[in-house]
Amino acid sequence: VRARLRVKTERGARAYHKIWNTIAIIRGARWPDEWVVVGGHRDAWGPGARDNVSGTVAVLETARAFAVLAQSGLRPARTLLFATWDAEEWGLIGSTEWVEELEDSLAAHAVAYINEDGTFSGPTFTGGASPALKPLIRDAARVVPDPTGPGSVYDVWLRRNKGDTAALTLGNLGGGSDFAGFYHHLGIPSGGIGFDGPDGIYHSMYDSYDWMSRFGDPGYAAHRAGAQLVSVILGRLANADILPLDYAAFGSEMSALVAQLDSGLARKPWTVSTQGLKDALDRFTGVARVFNTARDGAAGIDSARAARVNRALMQVERRLTRPEGLVSRPWYRSLQFASDLDNGYATMAFPTVNEAIRYADAATVEREIADLIA
């Protein structure tokens, strides 16, 4: 077979294109200076029914639901921001420019970011988030009907895993989507949910309305459940007296992930120990459990005290960033997770240490472990 390929390149002034983000805001009634942000990218390589019309319509439907409530006098306690991003497929440009431009405001006001990207194309519930948001996502799954049923999303998820609650895992955030600016650059807790299935249409002309209607999500039941889940997650983040960020769950998961460092170190002829990091995480998790108990037992907390507590909660993952960033990538400031340096989609925990182990730099491993402990 002889194939002809025509290539068109854009250089100089022709290579510049205007892009647009859209931002809608519902101002909070009780804590307007605390922001919950939800977004999804609007651009696509082809028709983009899955990636990312499905995520965009979840954002729009969630916005519509909260707008109806606001028009009836039920405004959220915190401010909600609904975003559609442009130029995600060209390197997360729309969301990254917005985050960098509003860095100081987001660092001061953002509670969490929920990202919906290529999310609804099958019956199987999935998700990924900061470990601090995972209990909230699991709880939200208990109150939304599953698109295949019977029962809630949680019920079907549990049956699929033969009743093993320990198997109800959610992923950690690596790279490849618009959470990066919020999570990896600024340390804002982030997450997202979806319903997946086999597709084979990624970034192709076949990612179309016809494919979605016939194969991906006939009847659009997964789209409906996804928008409901996003709405419940946003509602709980927006209206809880004390933010539903679970740092006991965060500490437990990060403690378990130290095993990855131990595995890498075992293959090196070094005497580097992670015990200090384990001890620090144990202290962190213990304090978080005491806090959770106090939060669960609190009743009728006044707005001023709640605001003080929430400001402290909002700083936890900010403080796991550093201004100079990772050794390999200064823009990535978070020390908890990053995209894998050798695979932009994959997740790497404790990236400063894991990268140093990978590239056999014992001095950097010891320095970075000490930094994490601090």
Side-chain angles (χ1 to χ4, degrees):
V1 174
R2 175 173 292 179
R4 290 174 183 245
L5 178 66
R6 182 180 177 185
V7 178
K8 179 181 177 182
T9 60
E10 295 184 333
R11 299 186 180 89
R14 288 184 60 212
Y16 286 88
H17 299 271
K18 286 186 178 181
I19 64 169
W20 291 265
N21 296 325
T22 70
I23 311 292
I25 301 172
I26 299 177
R27 186 169 172 80
R30 190 175 177 194
W31 295 295
D33 289 335
E34 295 178 12
W35 304 350
V36 181
V37 187
V38 60
H41 72 89
R42 206 179 57 254
D43 64 313
W45 283 120
R50 178 183 185 273
D51 185 12
N52 187 37
V53 173
S54 70
T56 300
V57 297
V59 174
L60 296 177
E61 179 64 6
T62 303
R64 187 195 65 78
F66 279 99
V68 169
L69 290 172
Q71 288 159 2
S72 66
L74 294 171
R75 279 168 50 207
R78 295 180 177 85
T79 295
L80 295 177
L81 284 83
F82 304 90
T84 72
W85 311 117
D86 206 349
E88 187 267 359
E89 301 290 11
W90 294 91
L92 318 183
I93 294 173
S95 60
T96 299
E97 290 293 332
W98 193 79
V99 166
E100 290 179 344
E101 184 173 341
L102 294 178
E103 178 175 330
D104 291 344
S105 296
L106 288 167
H109 301 296
V111 167
Y113 172 67
I114 304 301
N115 187 64
E116 292 303 306
D117 184 4
T119 27
F120 310 118
S121 61
T124 305
F125 174 67
T126 63
S130 161
L133 283 171
K134 291 179 182 181
L136 170 63
I137 293 173
R138 290 189 185 94
D139 286 345
R142 292 177 181 271
V143 301
V144 172
D146 189 83
T148 59
S152 69
V153 171
Y154 185 92
D155 294 335
V156 174
W157 191 19
L158 189 60
R159 281 200 301 273
R160 196 170 73 240
N161 287 282
K162 299 179 174 56
D164 182 5
T165 56
L168 304 185
T169 57
L170 296 161
N172 293 308
L173 301 179
S177 195
D178 293 301
F179 56 76
F182 295 88
Y183 192 54
H184 297 316
H185 189 58
L186 297 185
I188 295 167
S190 301
I193 57 89
F195 289 89
D196 283 345
D199 55 59
I201 46 83
Y202 182 60
H203 284 179
S204 80
M205 63 181 286
Y206 301 102
D207 184 5
S208 65
Y209 175 78
D210 179 68
W211 178 86
M212 184 65 77
S213 300
R214 295 171 62 195
F215 305 110
D217 186 22
Y220 291 86
H223 282 67
R224 176 188 177 92
Q228 290 173 330
L229 265 170
V230 173
S231 297
V232 171
I233 292 165
L234 254 63
R236 294 186 178 185
L237 283 166
N239 293 312
D241 284 348
I242 304 299
L243 292 171
L245 298 170
D246 191 331
Y247 284 107
F250 180 97
S252 295
E253 183 158 351
M254 299 309 291
S255 293
L257 289 167
V258 177
Q260 293 181 0
L261 304 182
D262 289 334
S263 177
L265 289 168
R267 294 191 290 270
K268 303 293 183 184
W270 305 333
T271 57
V272 179
S273 172
T274 61
Q275 189 58 50
L277 179 57
K278 293 171 185 172
D279 293 342
L281 281 163
D282 285 346
R283 292 191 296 272
F284 176 98
T285 307
V287 171
R289 287 186 179 127
V290 172
F291 173 81
N292 282 0
T293 300
R295 173 172 57 189
D296 295 344
I301 187 169
D302 66 86
S303 286
R305 189 179 184 196
R308 288 197 301 274
V309 174
N310 289 330
R311 279 197 298 272
L313 277 170
M314 288 164 61
Q315 290 305 310
V316 174
E317 290 180 67
R318 314 281 207 277
R319 291 181 179 179
L320 291 170
T321 67
R322 64 184 183 196
E324 67 270 28
L326 306 188
V327 174
S328 59
R329 295 163 286 172
W331 187 85
Y332 284 78
R333 296 176 182 170
S334 174
L335 303 180
Q336 52 191 0
F337 293 104
S339 60
D340 191 308
L341 188 61
D342 298 329
N343 178 342
Y345 290 98
T347 308
M348 177 179 278
F350 304 117
T352 54
V353 180
N354 259 316
E355 287 180 0
I357 293 171
R358 179 180 294 179
Y359 300 114
D361 186 344
T364 299
V365 170
E366 294 205 64
R367 184 178 71 245
E368 294 295 345
I369 288 177
D371 194 38
L372 276 173
I373 293 167

